[in-house]
Amino acid sequence: ECNYVLLHTGQKMPLLGLGTWKSAPGQVKEAVKYALGAGYRHIDCATAYSNEAEIGEAFQEAVGPDKPVKREELFVTSKLWNTKHHPEDVEPSLRKSLEDLKLDYLDLYLVHWPHAFERGDNLFPKNPDGRMRFDYTDYKETWKAMEKLVEKGLVKAVGLSNFNSRQIDGVLGMAAVKPAVLQVECHPYLAQTELIAHCHKRGLVVTPYSPLGSPDRMWKHPDEPVLLEEPGIKQLAEKYGKSPAQIILRWQVQRKVVTVPKSVTPARLQQNLQVFDFSLTEEEMSSIRSLNKNWRYIVPMITVDGKLVARDAGHPLYPF
Ligand code: A2P
């Protein structure tokens, strides 16, 4: 079975990659080395995860002409952080990621979020009262600077993350270099059916993040639904002799969306790759899709009368 999708650039993007958000320094180097040894050929990184230098150490040891993994076999993504949207900051920011990752090009560089924060090296610039300090750089200006990175050969493709359909069309309407990928939160509780169809119609590949519902998030609420405990998923896991995580990942790759589960645990890293040796029936695919409740884990949780409610992602300051 084919385990990659083609981007409009002609690049092969492996359907299953390794996520590195929340992978702690002291753990991520070993996790990436283990993953490369186990057969992962797609690693999803970002400046904002503050661990690219350590991931670079793993690449330095395992990737190269005389190393187990050849650079051209590996698909590496990184993301431009919100404080670097000013057109003058885009190339220096990419160059810092390349230096940290010890690579001379990226396969894919994403604009991490549509909105910009105040320029500078503080990842989360805030007012004394705790509110974020925003900047008004238009993401279309940022996009023009992203395109130059492709022209210079520093990145093979560029794309978007956390953009909604209106924003995606805004970029497509002015782009000389089209975005190849949209990365967004997506899992059975947030199936994103319309957004995926919107992207596929326009030639963008979709990469769901937090495919397992990010059980290791720093913010959690006792009332929130736990994806890996979902009875509908557990039942299928029993039927196929697979884990709930494998059922969820299989659902994503079977509908041709790329997925990047994070793990730093060898047994789970192995397990998460083993999703190409079985398939779900059409009925099971749609039964998983019908678990959708438009539930977002990656927003600051708010409570109303003590009850947890998912916040409207249309809020202009979403998600901060
Ligand atoms: P760990 O890294 O300790 O192995 P997401 O990709 O949705 O953000 O989820 C990442 C979280 O899910 C991490 O806490 C990770 O734990 C855990 N995880 C990864 N793979 C599995 C798996 N196969 N079964 C259960 N939990 C998993």
Side-chain angles (χ1 to χ4, degrees):
E1 184 185 1
C2 183
N3 62 358
Y4 60 84
V5 285
L6 281 180
L7 302 185
H8 72 59
T9 54
Q11 290 164 276
K12 290 178 178 176
M13 184 178 196
L15 276 165
L16 206 292
L18 175 67
T20 60
W21 176 47
K22 308 178 259 69
S23 295
Q27 291 186 325
V28 70
K29 178 181 172 187
E30 284 312 309
V32 172
K33 275 175 63 182
Y34 185 90
L36 292 172
Y40 283 77
R41 292 294 178 267
H42 170 185
I43 313 289
D44 184 77
C45 312
T47 306
Y49 305 160
S50 300
N51 57 10
E52 287 189 330
E54 200 175 314
I55 294 170
E57 290 174 23
F59 288 161
Q60 196 165 38
E61 289 179 25
V63 181
D66 49 353
K67 305 277 167 63
V69 180
K70 309 293 169 251
R71 174 64 186 95
E72 59 276 16
E73 296 168 355
L74 187 62
F75 192 102
V76 182
T77 303
S78 183
K79 311 184 191 86
L80 179 81
W81 185 238
N82 308 1
T83 49
K84 303 292 175 182
H85 278 211
H86 191 283
E88 282 170 19
D89 294 337
V90 173
E91 184 175 328
S93 183
L94 181 262
R95 287 191 182 276
K96 173 73 166 75
S97 282
L98 289 176
E99 184 190 320
D100 284 351
L101 293 167
K102 303 190 177 57
L103 299 176
D104 50 22
Y105 70 92
L106 288 182
D107 298 279
L108 177 65
Y109 198 43
L110 304 177
V111 180
H112 206 147
W113 292 92
H115 53 277
F117 291 167
E118 183 178 72
R119 295 173 74 182
D121 289 325
N122 179 0
L123 290 177
F124 293 94
K126 286 184 178 165
N127 287 320
D129 65 5
R131 281 181 306 131
M132 290 303 312
R133 292 175 68 86
F134 289 90
D135 173 275
Y136 293 95
T137 305
D138 186 326
Y139 52 73
K140 294 185 187 123
E141 293 306 309
T142 309
W143 189 257
K144 289 185 199 153
M146 295 288 283
E147 292 177 337
K148 295 213 178 81
L149 305 177
V150 179
E151 287 154 16
K152 288 188 175 182
L154 293 168
V155 308
K156 296 217 185 279
V158 279
L160 307 169
S161 182
N162 298 301
F163 279 55
N164 64 29
S165 52
R166 183 182 53 77
Q167 293 163 331
I168 294 164
D169 287 352
V171 172
L172 283 171
M174 52 71 66
V177 180
K178 303 277 183 223
V181 168
L182 173 74
Q183 185 171 132
V184 282
E185 179 178 350
C186 176
H187 42 70
Y189 288 158
L190 183 65
Q192 300 276 33
T193 313
E194 294 82 13
L195 186 58
I196 291 172
H198 186 94
C199 286
H200 285 177
K201 229 183 272 169
R202 288 158 177 77
L204 277 82
V205 163
V206 177
T207 301
Y209 70 66
S210 300
L212 305 178
S214 280
D216 55 344
R217 264 163 303 124
M218 347 17 200
W219 59 90
K220 275 190 139 182
H221 191 283
D223 292 349
E224 72 183 19
V226 180
L227 183 59
L228 291 172
E229 301 287 320
E230 166 61 42
I233 301 283
K234 280 174 136 176
Q235 216 175 357
L236 288 170
E238 235 161 78
K239 169 177 170 187
Y240 286 100
K242 292 279 181 181
S243 70
Q246 287 171 312
I247 298 295
I248 292 168
L249 298 174
R250 174 67 210 180
W251 173 67
Q252 296 285 27
V253 302
Q254 196 166 319
R255 59 181 193 154
K256 298 294 171 218
V257 293
V258 177
T259 184
V260 288
K262 171 265 179 187
S263 180
V264 292
T265 314
R268 287 173 171 171
L269 287 165
Q270 283 284 0
Q271 194 194 103
N272 294 349
L273 263 191
Q274 309 305 316
V275 297
F276 295 99
D277 55 357
F278 74 111
S279 55
L280 299 164
T281 66
E282 275 312 308
E283 212 173 37
E284 290 162 348
M285 290 293 290
S286 59
S287 83
I288 296 178
R289 198 167 56 233
S290 69
L291 297 172
N292 178 55
K293 42 180 138 191
N294 293 330
W295 187 268
R296 290 173 194 272
Y297 288 107
I298 309 304
V299 287
M301 294 303 178
I302 57 166
T303 53
V304 173
D305 297 333
K307 283 259 176 261
L308 181 67
V309 294
R311 197 162 92 177
D312 176 14
H315 190 281
L317 300 190
Y318 167 79
F320 298 101

